[in-house]
Amino acid sequence: MPVVVDPDPAVLAALLPALPAGSQALDTTDRMAAWLAQHHDEYVVVLGPGLKLVDALDVCEQLRTSRPTVSVVLVLGELDTTMLTQAMKAGARDVVPEGDLESLTSAVARAHQLFVALRGPAGAAQVGKVVTVFSPKGGVGKTTMAVNLALALNDGGARRVCLVDLDLAFGDVAITMQLFPSHSLEHAIGSEDSLDLTLLDGLLTRHRDSLMVLAAPAHPDVRERVTPLLVARILRTLREGFDYVVVDTAPSFDEQVLTALDETDECIVVATLDVPTLKNVKVALETLEMLDIAPGHRHLLLNRADDAVGISAEKVETILGMPVAARIATSMDIAAATNAGTPIVVGSPDHQSSAAILALAAELVGDADDRAAVPATASTSAPAEPTAAKARFRIRR
């Protein structure tokens, strides 16, 4: 998706309508550089008129040699021959005047055509997103939320979604969905160097003709044989065949979970309204921040969120320092739906809990009512190799 950069939120809001849905709005070139470093499928950067010309030209110079498949489109408040000459020499693909949204749309379309021509249709194909559902504490309903979120994203088959059970010792996705898989993630062990979509497709279990599931191993002792490299290869390969890959994780920062978090585009952190869980979640959020995992793309989901317990959602936001993205009230209907093998978003889509999960899914795919709002921070997914900070964290565990 295109990236548009400008320090003024009003300018970003004005430029976004001319770009494809899902475009990223960032306020600095440093955040743009961080985003591009982790997203190798980007094809165009739009630099707004609020940037200093010298900074915009510097971006053009850098991307001209380091990322030749990424076009740079400059939006300038004033155009003259000198500016155009400087822009072209620096490597800008297009220069459009501020306020001419039609020309901006055309420039972005031409950038995509060039990207396809340079990399070929396969190289320019849309890459799916990894949505990881995580909680540092068990018993918070994480798996139930992951299953329902995957079904909400799947939308009856409108999107290609794969749900991966990465709770390798005690995964419950299959039994929650009343599936009886003949293959699981265990059968991919040892195939790190030969993994492809065809191999993975043979390990997936279909749910209701649309959602696909990669089940956890049947025995806990298999966990030790699942390498971080295998986890990374599985998620990267599934990206190529699915619009969304939803990952249900174990409640710990083990090597496999850290690898999944490295690959994450959107991180759903599940919490309940009790002091021990909130304490653990706060520590987990600090860890995610330290490891630079999905900044700006973390979403807090409060499960069993009832005011009667004495902790309000507002107080949780203050404690954790982040807004509540979705709030699920305690309901016997959720447990009954799970026990019946028909998760609540499928069996009762009008239920208030279903509505909250569906709204979160809509936000993730960019269909929420406020999708045109400018993000306050940049977002980055994980790098191909663990950073030094991540490596040190793993050694100290």
Side-chain angles (χ1 to χ4, degrees), residues 121-191:
Q126 180 69 31
V127 178
K129 287 189 174 183
V130 174
V131 179
T132 300
V133 182
F134 175 74
S135 180
K137 196 168 187 298
V140 299
K142 174 178 54 60
T143 295
T144 300
M145 293 300 106
V147 166
N148 280 279
L149 180 61
L151 288 166
L153 288 169
N154 181 245
D155 193 17
R159 304 182 195 93
R160 298 168 299 165
V161 178
C162 182
L163 174 58
V164 178
D165 192 345
L166 206 62
D167 190 343
L168 299 173
F170 301 102
D172 290 328
V173 166
I175 195 169
T176 296
M177 305 181 79
Q178 294 196 0
L179 298 176
F180 304 95
S182 57
H183 294 85
S184 71
L185 194 148
E186 176 183 359
H187 295 89
I189 292 175
S191 62

Side-chain angles (χ1 to χ4, degrees), residues 153-229:
L153 288 169
N154 181 245
D155 193 17
R159 304 182 195 93
R160 298 168 299 165
V161 178
C162 182
L163 174 58
V164 178
D165 192 345
L166 206 62
D167 190 343
L168 299 173
F170 301 102
D172 290 328
V173 166
I175 195 169
T176 296
M177 305 181 79
Q178 294 196 0
L179 298 176
F180 304 95
S182 57
H183 294 85
S184 71
L185 194 148
E186 176 183 359
H187 295 89
I189 292 175
S191 62
E192 287 88 344
D193 295 328
S194 58
L195 200 66
D196 58 21
L197 274 173
T198 301
L199 189 154
L200 276 178
D201 186 60
L203 306 183
L204 302 180
T205 303
R206 187 179 298 275
H207 177 266
R208 293 180 181 264
D209 300 324
S210 53
L211 178 67
M212 304 301 291
V213 175
L214 180 58
H219 302 287
D221 60 336
V222 175
R223 172 183 171 275
E224 300 301 327
R225 295 193 287 125
V226 177
T227 65
L229 177 59

Side-chain angles (χ1 to χ4, degrees), residues 119-385:
R119 294 189 59 177
Q126 180 69 31
V127 178
K129 287 189 174 183
V130 174
V131 179
T132 300
V133 182
F134 175 74
S135 180
K137 196 168 187 298
V140 299
K142 174 178 54 60
T143 295
T144 300
M145 293 300 106
V147 166
N148 280 279
L149 180 61
L151 288 166
L153 288 169
N154 181 245
D155 193 17
R159 304 182 195 93
R160 298 168 299 165
V161 178
C162 182
L163 174 58
V164 178
D165 192 345
L166 206 62
D167 190 343
L168 299 173
F170 301 102
D172 290 328
V173 166
I175 195 169
T176 296
M177 305 181 79
Q178 294 196 0
L179 298 176
F180 304 95
S182 57
H183 294 85
S184 71
L185 194 148
E186 176 183 359
H187 295 89
I189 292 175
S191 62
E192 287 88 344
D193 295 328
S194 58
L195 200 66
D196 58 21
L197 274 173
T198 301
L199 189 154
L200 276 178
D201 186 60
L203 306 183
L204 302 180
T205 303
R206 187 179 298 275
H207 177 266
R208 293 180 181 264
D209 300 324
S210 53
L211 178 67
M212 304 301 291
V213 175
L214 180 58
H219 302 287
D221 60 336
V222 175
R223 172 183 171 275
E224 300 301 327
R225 295 193 287 125
V226 177
T227 65
L229 177 59
L230 178 60
V231 172
R233 292 282 168 82
I234 286 173
L235 297 182
R236 293 174 189 178
T237 303
L238 288 174
R239 280 181 186 270
E240 300 172 10
F242 292 89
D243 299 315
Y244 291 90
V245 180
V246 179
V247 184
D248 182 29
T249 60
S252 65
F253 281 113
D254 60 26
E255 288 287 336
Q256 295 88 349
V257 170
L258 280 169
T259 301
L261 290 169
D262 285 350
E263 299 294 328
T264 296
D265 298 298
E266 308 285 346
C267 184
I268 312 299
V269 181
V270 182
T272 51
L273 295 182
D274 59 273
V275 172
T277 297
L278 293 177
K279 183 268 293 183
N280 288 356
V281 168
K282 184 172 180 61
V283 173
L285 289 173
E286 291 170 353
T287 302
L288 294 176
E289 185 67 26
M290 180 185 73
L291 300 180
D292 196 33
I293 289 171
H297 283 245
R298 303 176 199 136
H299 312 268
L300 179 61
L301 188 157
L302 288 186
N303 193 25
R304 305 168 194 150
D306 303 301
D307 293 334
V309 301
I311 303 178
S312 65
E314 292 72 21
K315 187 172 183 179
V316 170
E317 291 180 339
T318 301
I319 293 171
L320 300 181
M322 68 182 299
V324 174
R327 181 175 175 179
I328 313 296
T330 300
S331 174
M332 294 300 296
D333 296 333
I334 298 177
T338 300
N339 290 337
T342 306
I344 196 161
V345 295
V346 174
S348 303
D350 295 328
H351 193 280
Q352 66 177 34
S353 297
S354 299
I357 296 170
L358 290 166
L360 177 59
E363 182 180 345
L364 294 177
V365 301
D367 289 338
D369 291 340
D370 61 350
R371 66 183 180 274
V374 177
T377 60
S379 59
T380 57
S381 69
E385 298 296 334

Side-chain angles (χ1 to χ4, degrees), residues 8-23:
D8 188 345
V11 172
L12 290 173
L15 295 176
L16 280 173
L19 305 178
S23 297

Side-chain angles (χ1 to χ4, degrees), residues 15-16 18-19 46 73 75 96 100-109:
L15 295 176
L16 280 173
L19 305 178
V46 177
V73 177
V75 180
V96 300
D100 190 348
L101 296 185
E102 185 175 348
S103 293
L104 178 57
T105 300
S106 298
V108 170

